[in-house]
């Protein structure tokens, strides 16, 4: 698949991220797609749920692992507005999701927030000796304004 093929799904993650920001959460959104169809979606809820582990990807992977059969997870793609952090990357790995497509890169988002925590998910997957396919960044210029607005 090309970036163009991923564009519609990444834009949906940006919509979810904007909705999260509108609720007072950080601007992150994620989708699980199986055979070209969105089967689950989630957004960041760290502030509304008072739990710093409630990243969009963690919310999505947790829900997926509880509600979908392993064979569906093995055919899925996780689309996310921003490159998954180390915690979320581990969750993707353990859930058996074989593909991640992200919008904004971790280094670009860390730069917006003035943070030093950026670790590429490819590096984390590599340390796990994982065969998870990673695509991204995709449409990063469209997603970064969400973070800039949140960082102000």
């Amino acid at each position: 698949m090309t970036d163009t093929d991923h564009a519609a799904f990444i834009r949906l993650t940006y919509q979810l991220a904007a909705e999260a920001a509108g609720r007072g959460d950080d601007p992150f959104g994620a989708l699980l797609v199986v055979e070209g169809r969105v089967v689950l979606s989630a957004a960041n809820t760290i502030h509304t749920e008072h739990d710093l582990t409630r990243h969009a990807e963690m919310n999505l992977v947790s829900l997926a692992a509880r509600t979908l059969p392993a064979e569906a997870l093995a055919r899925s793609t996780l689309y996310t507005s921003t490159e998954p952090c180390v915690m979320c990357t581990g969750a993707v790995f353990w859930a058996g999701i074989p593909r991640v497509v992200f919008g904004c890169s971790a280094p670009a988002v860390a730069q917006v927030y003035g943070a030093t925590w950026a670790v590429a998910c490819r590096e984390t997957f590599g340390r796990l000796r994982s065969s998870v396919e990673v695509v991204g960044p995709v449409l990063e210029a469209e997603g970064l304004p969400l973070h800039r607005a949140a960082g102000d």
Side-chain angles (χ1 to χ4, degrees):
M1 292 180 84
T2 66
D3 284 359
T4 304
D5 298 324
H6 298 302
F9 293 124
I10 290 298
R11 286 187 175 115
L12 286 173
T13 69
Y14 290 157
Q15 288 177 348
L16 290 165
E19 291 168 12
R23 284 192 309 274
D25 285 302
D26 292 339
F28 298 87
L31 304 170
L32 194 70
V33 174
V34 178
E35 297 172 352
R37 188 173 64 87
V38 176
V39 296
L40 294 172
S41 65
N44 181 291
T45 57
I46 66 169
H47 298 298
T48 53
E49 292 190 21
H50 310 286
D51 181 346
L52 294 175
T53 68
R54 297 293 85 209
H55 294 190
E57 300 90 344
M58 286 296 291
N59 288 336
L60 184 77
V61 171
S62 180
L63 178 60
R66 289 190 319 267
T67 61
L68 297 175
E71 62 90 356
L73 291 172
R75 295 181 289 111
S76 69
T77 300
L78 187 146
Y79 285 87
T80 181
S81 60
T82 304
E83 186 170 7
C85 72
V86 173
M87 174 182 68
C88 294
T89 298
V92 169
F93 170 78
W94 288 111
I97 296 169
R99 199 169 307 98
V100 171
V101 180
F102 65 86
C104 300
S105 69
V109 171
Q111 185 175 15
V112 168
Y113 294 106
T116 59
W117 41 253
V119 176
C121 68
R122 286 178 178 93
E123 180 181 342
T124 305
F125 283 128
R127 289 179 180 253
L128 292 168
R129 296 195 174 124
S130 168
S131 60
V132 172
E133 176 188 356
V134 178
V135 177
V138 176
L139 302 176
E140 186 170 56
E142 290 185 28
L144 284 174
L146 293 165
H147 293 289
R148 288 187 190 110
D152 290 341

